[in-house]
Amino acid sequence: MLITHKTLLGLQPIKQSVCVNFNYDVHFTHGLFELDNPLLAQVIAADAEIIPKKVLVVVDGGLLKKHKGLLNKISVYAQFYGDVITLADEPIIIPGGEIVKNEVRFVDQIHQLIDANGLCRHSYVLAIGGGALLDMVGYAATTAHRGIRLLRVPTTVLAQNDSGVGVKNGINAFGKKNFLGTFMPPYAVLNDFNFLTSLDDRDWRSGIAEAVKVALIKDADFFQFILTYADKLAARDLKAMEKLIYRCAQLHLHHIATSGDPFEKGSSRPLDFGHWAAHKLEHITDYKLRHGEAVAIGIALDSTYSYLTGLLSQLEWQRILSTLKRLGFTLYVSALTEQLHQPDHPHHLFRGLTEFREHLGGKLTITLLQGIGQGIEVHQVDLPVYKQAISLLQDWELSHS
């Protein structure tokens, strides 16, 4: 007989439900730090609290190579709007790219400056850079004082349409992507399209993969837009890219707000379609693959598996791969197969499924496609069929190169 704690004490448990509403805006602009653009100052002043507010600025070092006058612009902007903004310290310059998520010293550096400059929960950390830097800075900001207000200024396509507009922050640890992290919405997101013009072709293209992903699982019309404008997008047409970013961000935010599981307490994560393989490929290649490049391969692999298992028609499968190819993506890399004959090797691709399951709480749940715009969740997969999918993908890539 099981004797419960209630039986022993005769006391009923106190059941409490806590409802918390998060509100944040995602803005779109050009020339965020131009003096005739008051958006940033207006966002900070909107809380109607005592101002000026302390702001600690963290800048992606890679960005400064293309925007050499950015630090001076930030300083002049803060002086011009001095009744609202006080820079807490000189801007922190931190390397961009995945390295920033692999070394905890960058988080420590931000924590030390938050402490040294007396920032409080009503102060701001302003993060300017790509998705990796935003993830790391978000983790630092949300673990100081249990949460300092985070303002994100994403400067890449991928960050503006996906990672920079969501509620996740994190760093890598133990060889696993985002092993340490928090769920905490930003105070606001400010997308400045001007930053996109200085991206190299790989970073321009990389972020498009996340738009393809969300279109495939949620919006067939959006996928048709991407297919129609694939050549313009590949040729760096800014107006087409602005439309892509806006719709992708809109779909991303709608999912977070309406899925019923914004902080991923369950085992479902449809917005990570194609990501179980992508995260593992990034690690296997020592992050030489950009995140979006790996996601494109992951999308192609899971679409091929969906086709082989009868979920997706051959025509739809070919449209997906052809669109990714027109956008400029490579859909097969040797890392997919290098260790497939060694199941216990840490670089074995299918270990990504195990790590994905662990990250989600122990139950494997991945999203596949039962049509363009129609994602479907599955809880088990056939590894021999996945091997067949890798082989088919390799043959397809060779025939279309």
Side-chain angles (χ1 to χ4, degrees), residues 9-45:
L9 297 181
L11 299 175
Q12 295 289 335
I14 299 171
K15 298 186 177 183
Q16 181 63 53
S17 176
V18 178
C19 297
V20 180
N21 289 322
F22 290 100
N23 298 287
Y24 66 99
D25 294 333
V26 177
H27 299 272
F28 302 86
T29 190
H30 289 269
L32 179 65
F33 296 107
E34 299 298 331
L35 298 185
D36 61 354
N37 187 344
L39 176 60
L40 174 59
Q42 289 173 343
V43 167
I44 292 174

Side-chain angles (χ1 to χ4, degrees), residues 287-396:
Y287 299 96
K288 291 181 176 65
L289 274 180
R290 303 281 203 278
H291 177 67
E293 293 169 338
V295 167
I297 295 169
I299 289 171
L301 177 59
D302 283 352
S303 297
T304 303
Y305 180 85
S306 297
Y307 160 59
L308 289 175
T309 54
L311 290 170
L312 196 63
S313 73
Q314 184 179 35
L315 177 61
E316 290 175 310
W317 169 65
Q318 291 180 340
R319 286 179 69 201
I320 293 167
L321 267 58
S322 296
T323 300
L324 289 168
K325 198 66 183 173
R326 283 177 58 197
L327 290 167
F329 289 108
T330 296
L331 303 184
Y332 172 84
V333 291
S334 60
L336 284 167
T337 53
E338 283 175 353
Q339 306 300 336
L340 279 185
H341 62 290
Q342 299 183 61
D344 296 328
H345 196 285
H347 286 177
H348 192 283
L349 180 71
F350 294 152
R351 289 178 69 91
L353 287 166
T354 301
E355 292 166 8
F356 204 68
R357 183 179 68 240
E358 290 172 355
H359 204 55
L360 288 172
K363 181 181 180 182
L364 178 65
T365 303
I366 66 171
T367 300
L368 298 174
L369 296 179
Q370 58 180 348
I372 290 175
Q374 301 175 59
I376 181 174
E377 292 182 354
V378 301
H379 303 292
Q380 58 185 15
V381 296
D382 188 330
L383 295 186
V385 176
Y386 254 120
K387 289 182 179 179
Q388 184 183 351
I390 293 171
S391 179
L392 182 56
L393 192 57
Q394 182 179 14
D395 292 342
W396 192 96

Side-chain angles (χ1 to χ4, degrees), residues 157-382:
V157 174
L158 191 148
Q160 290 193 2
N161 70 5
D162 186 273
S163 62
V165 303
V167 298
K168 294 188 280 191
N169 311 282
I171 59 174
N172 306 330
F174 306 107
K176 297 175 183 178
K177 184 95 167 176
N178 300 319
F179 185 83
L180 301 176
T182 62
F183 287 100
M184 177 60 74
Y187 187 81
V189 181
L190 304 109
N191 279 335
D192 181 350
F193 290 133
N194 286 4
F195 284 119
L196 304 183
T197 60
S198 63
L199 294 174
D200 65 27
D201 288 343
R202 287 184 71 188
D203 285 324
W204 173 277
R205 182 186 311 113
S206 183
I208 303 175
E210 296 289 1
V212 174
K213 170 206 73 178
V214 76
L216 286 173
I217 61 175
K218 287 185 173 292
D219 190 343
D221 289 339
F222 185 35
F223 181 79
Q224 184 61 46
F225 168 86
I226 297 171
L227 188 157
T228 301
Y229 288 92
D231 295 334
K232 283 194 172 185
L233 289 165
R236 301 180 64 106
D237 184 291
L238 186 58
K239 289 300 180 185
M241 182 60 85
E242 289 176 6
K243 292 178 181 177
L244 177 139
I245 286 171
Y246 188 87
R247 181 55 179 159
C248 184
Q250 191 176 44
L251 287 167
H252 190 110
L253 290 165
H254 183 263
H255 175 84
I256 292 171
T258 63
S259 71
D261 189 20
F263 293 166
E264 298 174 2
K265 296 295 185 184
S267 60
S268 172
R269 195 162 61 177
L271 286 180
D272 273 354
F273 169 59
H275 279 56
W276 74 263
H279 286 172
K280 194 61 185 174
L281 285 170
E282 287 180 87
H283 177 57
I284 292 172
T285 62
D286 198 24
Y287 299 96
K288 291 181 176 65
L289 274 180
R290 303 281 203 278
H291 177 67
E293 293 169 338
V295 167
I297 295 169
I299 289 171
L301 177 59
D302 283 352
S303 297
T304 303
Y305 180 85
S306 297
Y307 160 59
L308 289 175
T309 54
L311 290 170
L312 196 63
S313 73
Q314 184 179 35
L315 177 61
E316 290 175 310
W317 169 65
Q318 291 180 340
R319 286 179 69 201
I320 293 167
L321 267 58
S322 296
T323 300
L324 289 168
K325 198 66 183 173
R326 283 177 58 197
L327 290 167
F329 289 108
T330 296
L331 303 184
Y332 172 84
V333 291
S334 60
L336 284 167
T337 53
E338 283 175 353
Q339 306 300 336
L340 279 185
H341 62 290
Q342 299 183 61
D344 296 328
H345 196 285
H347 286 177
H348 192 283
L349 180 71
F350 294 152
R351 289 178 69 91
L353 287 166
T354 301
E355 292 166 8
F356 204 68
R357 183 179 68 240
E358 290 172 355
H359 204 55
L360 288 172
K363 181 181 180 182
L364 178 65
T365 303
I366 66 171
T367 300
L368 298 174
L369 296 179
Q370 58 180 348
I372 290 175
Q374 301 175 59
I376 181 174
E377 292 182 354
V378 301
H379 303 292
Q380 58 185 15
V381 296
D382 188 330

Side-chain angles (χ1 to χ4, degrees), residues 86-163:
T86 295
L87 295 184
D89 206 321
E90 292 296 317
I92 313 167
I93 303 170
I94 288 180
E98 202 67 20
I99 185 177
V100 81
K101 294 177 65 172
N102 291 333
E103 299 186 24
V104 73
R105 64 186 174 92
F106 297 117
V107 175
D108 293 339
Q109 181 183 359
I110 295 171
H111 283 164
Q112 289 165 7
L113 285 167
I114 287 172
D115 176 58
N117 288 285
L119 271 68
C120 69
R121 291 184 183 178
H122 292 247
S123 304
Y124 295 85
V125 174
L126 176 64
I128 308 169
L133 179 126
L134 298 183
D135 279 355
M136 183 279 294
V137 176
Y139 179 61
T142 58
T143 51
H145 295 304
R146 299 195 180 101
I148 291 178
R149 294 173 178 178
L150 174 67
L151 293 168
R152 292 191 189 133
V153 181
T155 59
T156 65
V157 174
L158 191 148
Q160 290 193 2
N161 70 5
D162 186 273
S163 62

